[in-house]
Amino acid sequence: MQKSIRFVPHGCLSEAGTVPGTSCRSICYDFLAMRNAFGSSIHVSFLLELRMSYFVIMIVFDASTLILIAKAELLDLFLTRVNVPVAIPSEVEKECCGSKKALDAIIIQKALDDSRIEVLTVRNRRLVAKLQADFSLGKGEAEAIALALNEKAQLVGIDDKNGIDACKVLGIAFTTAVGILIRSREKGLLEGPDAIAKLVLLAKYGRYKHSIIEDARLKLEAKS
């Protein structure tokens, strides 16, 4: 049986979405109500079993995480094993594939060409502008979060610090490139030495604190 990835995200999942007449404040209230009802840890696997039209089963990536997992040679594994659609906004496509000579850009472009990642346009420009202003986000990060809200996505892959803070405030579940690596190892998709080698690449290209890398190393070695 082929194994697939189900993520336990860093943030808690919520019903946050840009429903007409819904403000960011009410989105936070919805998140808090859901957290109180179901506890502080709401797993993706739980929501994947909810067949409600309200939920769109989707993972949205920011450029930061997408580039990192491409550099660490994790992207193909992720796309092969994850069992939900993966999407990015137009600005993230530009940020990832602007430098055509970079290997990670070529890898990401191939995934786009093969329709393994979908590019979606964020039409709510007011929301993008507000996210940029409120959380000091770049355009790509703001579009990724706006897309997640608009599409009611279950998870955002993001490594930008301000973007992570925004996800926490808005109650959007998120993961990082390191989180994807650890989860892949936990699911038995990577052998120990291979996982450690990919962690070295993430440490090289990512802006991670030493403590985060060392904690990840311990988790990866614990599975050996």
Side-chain angles (χ1 to χ4, degrees):
M1 176 182 290
Q2 188 181 56
K3 296 180 180 178
S4 61
I5 301 174
R6 280 188 174 185
F7 285 95
V8 179
H10 290 72
C12 293
L13 289 168
S14 74
E15 295 182 337
T18 52
V19 179
T22 300
S23 66
C24 287
R25 184 185 297 273
S26 64
I27 287 170
C28 293
Y29 287 158
D30 289 343
F31 164 65
L32 292 172
M34 191 173 184
R35 186 181 67 179
N36 291 336
F38 294 103
S40 60
S41 181
I42 304 171
H43 299 329
V44 170
S45 57
F46 169 75
L47 285 181
L48 288 180
E49 295 171 2
L50 290 178
R51 301 305 178 186
M52 298 181 180
S53 60
Y54 188 84
F55 293 102
V56 177
I57 301 175
M58 177 185 291
I59 296 175
V60 173
F61 273 105
D62 172 49
S64 56
T65 305
L66 193 57
I67 290 171
L68 282 173
I69 63 174
K71 286 182 178 293
E73 300 177 3
L74 272 170
L75 181 59
D76 183 68
L77 175 66
F78 176 85
L79 294 175
T80 299
R81 300 295 184 169
V82 76
N83 55 2
V84 298
V86 177
I88 59 174
S90 303
E91 184 63 25
V92 168
E93 178 189 20
K94 293 177 184 177
E95 293 177 2
C96 290
C97 302
S99 176
K100 298 296 183 181
K101 295 182 180 180
L103 179 59
D104 54 274
I106 295 171
I107 292 171
I108 294 169
Q109 187 62 59
K110 185 177 187 306
L112 293 171
D113 294 342
D114 293 343
S115 299
R116 303 177 77 189
I117 300 175
E118 185 178 5
V119 179
L120 300 177
T121 300
V122 180
R123 304 190 186 282
N124 192 339
R125 306 315 302 176
R126 290 182 64 184
L127 176 59
V128 172
K130 181 170 177 55
L131 289 168
Q132 286 184 275
D134 288 353
F135 298 103
S136 299
L137 300 179
K139 191 175 179 181
E141 290 79 23
E143 281 200 7
I145 292 172
L147 180 61
L149 289 170
N150 284 340
E151 299 295 332
K152 307 172 188 68
Q154 267 73 3
L155 190 68
V156 173
I158 190 163
D159 275 83
D160 178 79
K161 183 182 182 300
N162 289 350
I164 288 173
D165 289 342
C167 287
K168 290 177 179 178
V169 170
L170 296 173
I172 301 172
F174 67 93
T175 191
T176 64
V178 168
I180 290 172
L181 173 61
I182 292 172
R183 189 60 174 162
S184 298
R185 175 66 181 131
E186 288 175 347
K187 297 297 291 185
L189 305 179
L190 291 169
E191 296 298 325
D194 192 21
I196 293 296
K198 293 183 186 306
L199 179 63
V200 171
L201 290 174
L202 291 180
K204 176 182 178 180
Y205 293 112
R207 298 175 181 177
Y208 293 109
K209 293 180 180 178
H210 179 73
S211 58
I212 292 176
I213 295 298
E214 287 307 304
D215 180 65
R217 186 186 303 277
L218 291 175
K219 290 178 180 178
L220 295 175
E221 292 176 343
K223 298 295 294 183
S224 301

